[in-house]
Amino acid sequence: RRRQRAASQHTGLPTIVVGNVIAGGAGKTPVTQALVQHLKKRGWHPGIISRGYGRSTMDCRPVLPLSDPDDVGDEPLLLFHTTNVPVFVAQQRLEAARALRAANPEVNIIVCDDGLQHVALQRDVEICVFHEGGIGNGWQLPAGPLREPWPRPVDLVLHTGPVPARTPPYQPIFAVQRQLAPYAVRSDGRHVPLALLRDQPVHALAAVARPERFFAMLAQQGLTLAQTEALPDHYNFESWRRADGAPALLICTEKDAVKLWPLQPDALAVPLVLDIPP
């Protein structure tokens, strides 16, 4: 088992941690989405735990259909709505796991979104995710992007960019293809084919770690990006206003939509789809 420390404890169920070793977003949440859907298809009953990065609360709580993203975090709320499995957030992931199990006895496997460095939680499988930037200059913070020394043993590594030519033998590494779904989602859940949007100018908005990738993928789908707007990751949109003259059609990421829809219900969210090797 990975990262077993004297003071650490186990959830009592098979536990998978999806995380990264670089600062900022690397695509952990889409991998968690794909992993949970895979487990469900294989007959498992997964539950998700998370710290709930960026939330204003500090307690342990479930994510509910009408939860405020400010209370539970935007990524846990997105995971709840897209996976349809129980999600709990807490500063200590073990507390979240215990509360989740108590409320949902049918759950038989735990997936932790983020938490590779949360050594208080014992885990059975570790998945490390990298974006196309890889390990950058290979230095730890603050001189480089790494949160901890790399390489180190993990169960598998997923790269959404080029796979390094030389890799340690204890790190099974796989290339992951990222692309947008061929449709956008309305706030009422209906789908709109992107092909129907190609003849009109759009205002593309993203408050994620790498917004330029989202904009590039929209352009690859043939959309006309009359305006792009990059905002800080986990931005709450409370003070956001559309700029004068901006196109009427607003397109955003799924993560942004959970916070934007209450303010801009006409916004369209385009899901990110991962193609992960079997």
Side-chain angles (χ1 to χ4, degrees):
R1 292 183 179 179
R2 306 293 185 186
R3 311 288 271 188
Q4 315 292 56
R5 300 287 179 89
S8 66
Q9 298 182 59
H10 199 273
T11 66
L13 292 176
T15 300
I16 304 172
V17 171
V18 180
N20 64 5
V21 295
I22 60 168
K28 301 180 298 295
T29 299
V31 170
T32 300
Q33 287 174 301
L35 174 61
V36 169
Q37 298 294 6
H38 169 76
L39 290 170
K40 290 171 67 177
K41 291 178 181 177
R42 298 297 296 267
W44 290 89
H45 299 282
I48 300 172
I49 59 174
S50 172
R51 179 180 57 161
Y53 179 84
R55 65 188 177 116
S56 61
T57 57
M58 300 289 288
D59 60 349
C60 175
R61 62 174 62 198
V63 180
L64 302 172
L66 297 179
S67 288
D68 189 324
D70 192 49
D71 294 333
V72 298
D74 49 15
E75 289 165 341
L77 187 56
L78 169 63
L79 287 168
F80 176 81
H81 284 298
T82 56
T83 64
N84 196 31
V85 304
V87 182
F88 270 69
V89 296
Q91 291 292 104
Q92 298 297 319
R93 275 71 158 192
L94 188 64
E95 183 183 6
R98 287 171 173 166
L100 188 152
R101 291 190 64 187
N104 303 274
E106 76 282 1
V107 167
N108 57 12
I109 190 166
I110 297 291
V111 179
C112 180
D113 181 44
D114 204 2
L116 209 60
Q117 290 78 37
H118 188 69
V119 295
L121 177 72
Q122 295 181 12
R123 67 288 307 265
D124 302 289
V125 176
E126 287 186 320
I127 300 174
C128 186
V129 185
F130 285 97
H131 58 53
E132 59 269 23
I135 63 171
N137 62 8
W139 290 77
Q140 288 180 253
L141 295 168
L146 293 179
R147 298 177 178 178
E148 61 176 306
W150 186 264
R152 74 158 175 86
V154 293
D155 292 284
L156 62 93
V157 179
L158 300 180
H159 272 268
T160 59
V163 174
R166 298 180 62 183
T167 60
Y170 53 78
Q171 289 180 346
I173 295 183
F174 302 92
V176 176
Q177 302 300 318
R178 293 158 47 102
Q179 61 184 1
L180 295 180
Y183 58 86
V185 182
R186 296 185 184 275
S187 57
D188 61 6
R190 290 183 297 164
H191 290 186
V192 179
L194 291 184
L196 298 180
L197 308 177
R198 290 173 182 164
D199 295 330
Q200 53 186 306
V202 303
H203 176 185
L205 182 152
V208 295
R210 300 173 71 82
E212 68 281 354
R213 292 292 302 131
F214 178 64
F215 301 147
M217 287 190 286
L218 287 175
Q220 290 168 4
Q221 290 281 349
L223 299 190
T224 302
L225 306 186
Q227 180 174 344
T228 59
E229 186 173 358
L231 295 167
D233 196 10
H234 301 285
Y235 186 76
N236 63 21
F237 292 98
E238 290 179 358
S239 61
W240 181 82
R241 298 292 182 273
R242 291 198 195 194
D244 292 339
L249 184 59
L250 180 63
I251 288 187
C252 65
T253 71
E254 276 191 306
K255 187 171 84 167
D256 297 323
V258 298
K259 295 170 290 187
L260 194 57
W261 274 335
L263 306 171
Q264 301 283 335
D266 60 331
L268 299 178
V270 184
L272 182 67
V273 179
L274 297 188
D275 180 13
I276 302 178

